[in-house]
Every structure is written in structure tokens, then in C-alpha cells.
Amino acid sequence: MKILAVGMNYAAHNKEMNHTLLFQDPVIFSKTESSLLREGKPFFIPDFAERFEYETEIVVRINRLGKNIAERFAHRYYDEVTVGIDFTARDLQKKLCDKGLPWDICKGFDGAAAVGTFVNKNELSDISNLNFHLDIDGKTVQSGCTADMIHSVDKIIAYVSQFFTLKTGDLIFTGTPSGVGPVSENQVLQGYIEDKKLLELKIK
């Protein structure tokens, strides 16, 4: 199983992160298999950085083998969706970016890819117009809509399948909207798609 993720896929988030470039193709990075955090397991704050931030995202799960998938057929390659959190070691990421170095360790460390309960996409409204949000201790801190994506889910699947053979069970994090922020001990995070709570975990 592999975990692929899309960076800078919402214009408002790009602005808050001081990114001004809009890329013609999706910006892709990967997370390690050991970064997967599911079944409501807690996120333990590591000690190798000072600031860890949440990035709430729609996550799709690949359901069949595919390579060089045409965008018009991409919808056939996933049938389940959830909300996830791309945890990021932000201060460490900045240090590495300032030096022009890769920042895989800031996104792919153990526990950095939290996912909620997957639901069949047919149970939800149009995948291209899904509202989702994250609550911390009962207060909404981040919200977004897939209609605001720069690159749609189908385009992302078509694009990444040029480089990677997609296999059943692979996950794709589709990018985060504006509103990212830090986490701290004892917070409870709850992720929603529309009014469905699909993710809940505690920060420790």
C-alpha cells in the first residue's frame, strides 16, 4: 500500500502559506506506510520538532489496479472516501525548505496520515462539491469544499497514474484548504464530511 498526497491544491491555503505560484499539474508527495493512523488511535506528538499542524483533507481509496488512467475513467478507480489529517512538522519543514532540501520527514513520519472511517462515495453528494470540516474540542477550526480544488480528484488520479501504478488499497490525500493550525496535548480532533463525523482522535 502507498499513500500519495497533493500539495497546494486550494488557492486560499496557498496564500496563507505564502505560495503564489499556480501549477499546471498537481504537486505530488508521498507518505510512508507507517505514517497511516486509523481506527481512532491517538496522535502522539513527536519530539523532533516544535510545531505540528493539522491539514484536513478529503481522502480517496483506490479500488482497482490502474496505470495511465484517462481522466474520464478515473471515477471508476475509487469507490470510498473519508476525511483525513495530514500532520506536518511545520518548523522543521520551513528549515529544510529554506535550505532547498527535501522535506519528506516532515510529512511522512509515523502517525502523520490520520484517516477516518471510509464510506461509499455513493452515500455522499457529488464528489466534486463535498463540504468537509475539522473540529477541535467542539469548535470548527478548518473547513473546505472540494469545488474549490485547483485539481479535481479525477485529474489527480489520472496524473499520478502516469508515474505510479495504482493498486487496490492505495490512498490519495487530495489537499487541504486554508485554516491549518497547530495541535497540542489533550485536544480532541473530529473530522466531518457534510454532517457525517468520520474521524475522531486525541492528541497526546
Side-chain angles (χ1 to χ4, degrees):
M1 186 205 76
K2 56 184 169 292
I3 303 172
L4 301 174
V6 184
M8 297 180 283
N9 201 26
Y10 287 82
H13 171 62
N14 298 350
K15 184 176 180 180
E16 76 176 348
M17 299 302 293
N18 298 316
H19 295 301
T20 57
L21 296 176
L22 292 180
F23 296 94
Q24 181 177 354
D25 295 318
V27 176
I28 305 299
F29 62 94
S30 62
K31 287 174 169 281
T32 62
E33 187 172 350
S34 66
S35 70
L36 187 61
L37 185 67
R38 53 187 165 188
E39 300 173 354
K41 292 180 180 177
F43 174 75
F44 290 90
I45 297 176
D47 59 7
F48 58 75
E50 298 297 324
R51 183 182 177 95
F52 290 86
E53 294 189 350
Y54 58 81
E55 296 189 11
T56 314
E57 315 196 4
I58 293 295
V59 182
V60 299
R61 181 156 58 189
I62 299 301
N63 67 342
R64 60 193 296 188
L65 187 72
K67 175 70 174 176
N68 291 320
I69 302 164
E71 186 174 343
R72 67 183 183 278
F73 298 132
H75 65 280
R76 300 179 182 177
Y77 288 81
Y78 67 100
D79 58 3
E80 292 185 317
V81 181
T82 192
V83 62
I85 300 175
D86 168 20
F87 285 108
T88 303
R90 190 69 71 196
D91 56 321
L92 180 57
Q93 183 186 39
K94 184 179 185 307
K95 289 177 183 177
L96 292 172
C97 286
D98 288 347
K99 296 177 181 179
L101 298 173
W103 39 262
D104 301 59
I105 59 175
C106 306
K107 294 275 194 178
F109 58 88
D110 291 352
V115 293
T117 301
F118 280 88
V119 296
N120 191 290
K121 66 181 182 182
N122 294 326
E123 297 178 22
L124 302 169
S125 59
D126 182 3
I127 189 73
S128 64
N129 192 29
L130 282 182
N131 295 297
F132 60 100
H133 68 273
L134 178 72
D135 289 0
I136 295 184
D137 296 336
K139 179 181 178 181
T140 299
V141 296
Q142 188 180 21
S143 60
C145 180
T146 56
D148 296 324
M149 284 181 173
I150 297 171
H151 304 293
S152 69
V153 173
D154 289 354
K155 181 175 181 179
I156 293 165
I157 289 173
Y159 180 73
V160 299
S161 71
Q162 297 176 69
F163 310 99
F164 309 106
T165 297
L166 296 177
K167 297 183 178 182
T168 301
D170 288 348
L171 303 180
I172 300 178
F173 281 65
T174 60
T176 194
S178 61
V180 302
V183 295
S184 57
E185 284 188 39
N186 299 316
Q187 289 179 327
V188 175
L189 278 58
Q190 297 175 318
Y192 293 78
I193 296 179
E194 303 293 351
D195 60 350
K196 293 178 179 288
K197 184 175 75 171
L198 300 178
L199 179 150
E200 182 169 339
L201 61 84
K202 189 170 184 178
I203 306 297
K204 292 190 175 180

